[in-house]
Amino acid sequence: NWKITDKLEFQQSFYAEIFGTVNPAFTTPMRPIATLQHSEGGAALNGNWGSQLTWTVSPKTVLTGRYNITQGGSNRIGFFRDLTTPQHRDQVTGLFSGNFTATRFRPKRDEVSAKLNTYISGSHVSHNMFFGAQISRNKDYRVDIQPGGVIYSDLNGQPDQAQFAGTDVRGAVSKAQGVWAENEMNIGRFTLRYGGRYDRMVASSQDVPKFDGKFNEAGTVKGLGKLVTWNTFSPRGGMNIKLTSDGKTVLRAVAGRYYLPLFLTEFEVL
């Protein structure tokens, strides 16, 4: 935390996981070591940044601004990092050999938001009012490589089927803008809270890098452009009534309408 002035304060945070795991964790007679898969991540792939600036405009009014970057990237590859030896699975014995799918996953979310909170007191009624705006962008792409470009299915040690698979690249992006307002009104033992939020969400299929069978960039896969646009309004309201003067018995009621955001997994396969 940095206290810039008596009324202005800045906060900065950073979080990342540096990991290396193997899946499955152990070998079995049906899964020799070559068929296991490394999963790796670090600060460059999943570092998460958070910044917040708080301005105390007056004793009754506070303005807060935030900027966040959220990532969850990872790399997955066969235990011996071999991208040429194909995968085999025997449909009779259940024995695996060769290498499993190698994957690179790159999700990222950027978000900017601002919130104004002001308190208005009166002789009989007080208001605690909130206003806010939010802009966000979610983006990801995923690359899957089948080592050797083929998956073999065997029957009791003998070749049976071959499924050929080129490099699979998919991605999507969504952008959203939202504004909201809410008021908490207090009248003696009665509290009424009401408000609403408007959101505009757009999902698109963007251009993504094209890769060869060894994760070398080899051009661009053209996206489909804008796919979906949603405009939603979410009203909400609630009330509290203190039924006893000591405040130990309270009656509460809440109602509202909420919408799911756009999930990139619903569009990235297009």
Side-chain angles (χ1 to χ4, degrees):
N1 292 4
W2 290 273
K3 191 170 184 179
I4 302 172
T5 68
D6 290 340
K7 294 186 176 183
L8 202 59
E9 184 175 312
F10 179 74
Q11 296 174 300
Q12 178 68 57
S13 64
F14 176 75
Y15 171 80
E17 292 185 358
I18 301 174
F19 64 89
T21 61
V22 175
N23 181 44
F26 303 99
T27 60
T28 68
M30 298 294 101
R31 292 291 301 268
I33 191 170
T35 67
L36 305 187
Q37 188 184 58
H38 283 288
S39 181
E40 304 166 333
L45 296 178
N46 57 37
N48 299 285
W49 298 84
S51 304
Q52 177 174 301
L53 184 65
T54 303
W55 177 26
T56 305
V57 182
S58 71
K60 295 183 179 181
T61 303
V62 177
L63 177 64
T64 303
R66 295 188 178 97
Y67 175 62
N68 299 304
I69 297 177
T70 306
Q71 302 181 99
S74 63
N75 293 331
R76 298 179 183 179
I77 195 169
F79 191 85
F80 293 115
R81 305 181 187 278
D82 180 4
L83 291 173
T84 59
T85 305
Q87 175 191 153
H88 285 255
R89 183 181 185 276
D90 196 300
Q91 300 176 72
V92 176
T93 65
L95 177 65
F96 286 88
S97 63
N99 292 277
F100 266 55
T101 306
T103 300
R104 290 186 178 178
F105 185 42
R106 299 291 186 270
K108 184 179 181 181
R109 175 182 173 87
D110 298 86
E111 180 182 310
V112 179
S113 63
K115 181 178 73 172
L116 178 68
N117 177 208
T118 185
Y119 180 76
I120 302 172
S121 60
S123 57
H124 300 289
V125 181
S126 65
H127 298 268
N128 195 11
M129 305 178 71
F130 305 85
F131 304 92
Q134 181 183 48
I135 301 173
S136 64
R137 182 186 68 169
N138 290 317
K139 182 179 181 180
D140 74 19
Y141 74 85
R142 177 189 178 113
V143 186
D144 291 323
I145 293 176
Q146 298 295 341
V150 61
I151 302 173
Y152 291 108
S153 295
D154 302 330
L155 283 176
N156 206 21
Q158 299 300 314
D160 180 52
Q161 299 179 25
Q163 178 184 344
F164 294 90
T167 302
D168 180 22
V169 184
R170 57 187 65 184
V173 59
S174 69
K175 298 179 181 180
Q177 305 85 39
V179 293
W180 55 273
E182 195 168 66
N183 181 32
E184 182 181 86
M185 183 171 61
N186 295 283
I187 309 172
R189 295 186 184 183
F190 178 73
T191 300
L192 177 65
R193 188 159 187 162
Y194 55 91
R197 178 183 175 109
Y198 168 78
D199 287 281
R200 182 179 187 272
M201 297 172 278
V202 178
S204 302
S205 170
Q206 86 277 25
D207 297 348
V208 294
K210 183 179 181 180
F211 295 86
D212 63 16
K214 294 186 177 180
F215 287 116
N216 298 311
E217 287 198 31
T220 301
V221 178
K222 192 70 175 176
L224 300 176
K226 186 182 296 185
L227 300 173
V228 174
T229 300
W230 285 357
N231 292 282
T232 63
F233 178 70
S234 306
R236 65 194 71 171
M239 56 173 284
N240 296 341
I241 302 176
K242 295 180 181 178
L243 300 180
T244 58
S245 58
D246 58 9
K248 293 183 178 180
T249 304
V250 179
L251 175 65
R252 293 185 173 92
V254 178
R257 173 178 289 180
Y258 300 90
Y259 293 88
L260 289 174
L262 293 172
F263 293 105
L264 297 183
T265 52
E266 298 176 350
F267 306 98
E268 63 182 15
V269 297
L270 298 178

